[in-house]
Amino acid sequence: MALFVPPDIVRPATAGPVPIPPPPSPPLPPSPPLQAGRLMLAVAAIDHSGRTGDQSLLSALGWHPGERTAATVTADMVVLRRTHSGPFRIDSRRKVFIPAGTRALFSIDTGDRVVLVAAPEHDVLIVHPMAVIANLIAERYASTPGGLDVL
């Protein structure tokens, strides 16, 4: 008696061995919390090519031209990390690239200024649109007893 295998699970013959995917990377240890005294801030403009930067912040991070970065977008910021395989390079002027889709998401145009926050202990550069910072400041003032009248 012959064994019957339904055709929908019959696998075609391959020319060679089937590659086995690599195991998943182990999770990274949790980062220590950001400490305000260890953050560095600057304000910079977005240029015509979608790049921005501040040389003092990139120096503090130890980031150099030619190194690669990757961007992670959250509701109110873009977090840039230096990676070996990131899709973007730091240019010779020490400027980092903010992808066009990300700029559009935050309504950031050429010439607009953004707040850059370097966190050297985390090796990240955080980019905040000015509107986000203005909202944070307005919320802070609104939560002050008496509001701006006490100033």
Side-chain angles (χ1 to χ4, degrees):
M1 180 183 221
L3 180 65
F4 174 74
V5 177
D8 62 334
I9 61 170
V10 173
R11 299 184 194 270
T14 59
V18 176
I20 298 173
S25 299
L28 295 173
S31 297
L34 291 175
Q35 296 179 356
R38 304 210 176 169
L39 300 177
M40 299 175 67
L41 287 88
V43 175
I46 299 287
D47 72 13
H48 68 281
S49 65
R51 292 183 173 276
T52 190
D54 179 88
Q55 289 192 12
S56 64
L57 296 187
L58 269 63
S59 291
L61 289 167
W63 293 12
H64 302 286
E67 290 183 317
R68 294 184 171 276
T69 62
T72 303
V73 179
T74 70
D76 58 0
M77 71 184 90
V78 181
V79 180
L80 299 174
R81 297 182 187 284
R82 182 170 44 173
T83 68
H84 294 290
S85 60
F88 315 113
R89 287 189 186 269
I90 299 169
D91 73 8
S92 61
R93 301 169 299 153
R94 297 184 88 160
K95 304 276 184 175
V96 294
F97 181 70
I98 309 297
T102 301
R103 294 191 313 271
L105 181 68
F106 289 113
S107 300
I108 298 172
D109 295 316
T110 298
D112 287 354
R113 300 180 78 66
V114 292
V115 174
L116 304 175
V117 180
E121 291 179 356
H122 296 265
D123 198 31
V124 297
L125 181 68
I126 304 164
V127 181
H128 290 285
M130 279 295 190
V132 169
I133 299 304
N135 286 338
L136 288 172
I137 293 170
E139 288 174 13
R140 172 66 175 106
Y141 293 157
S143 69
T144 301
L148 292 178
D149 295 334
V150 298
L151 299 178

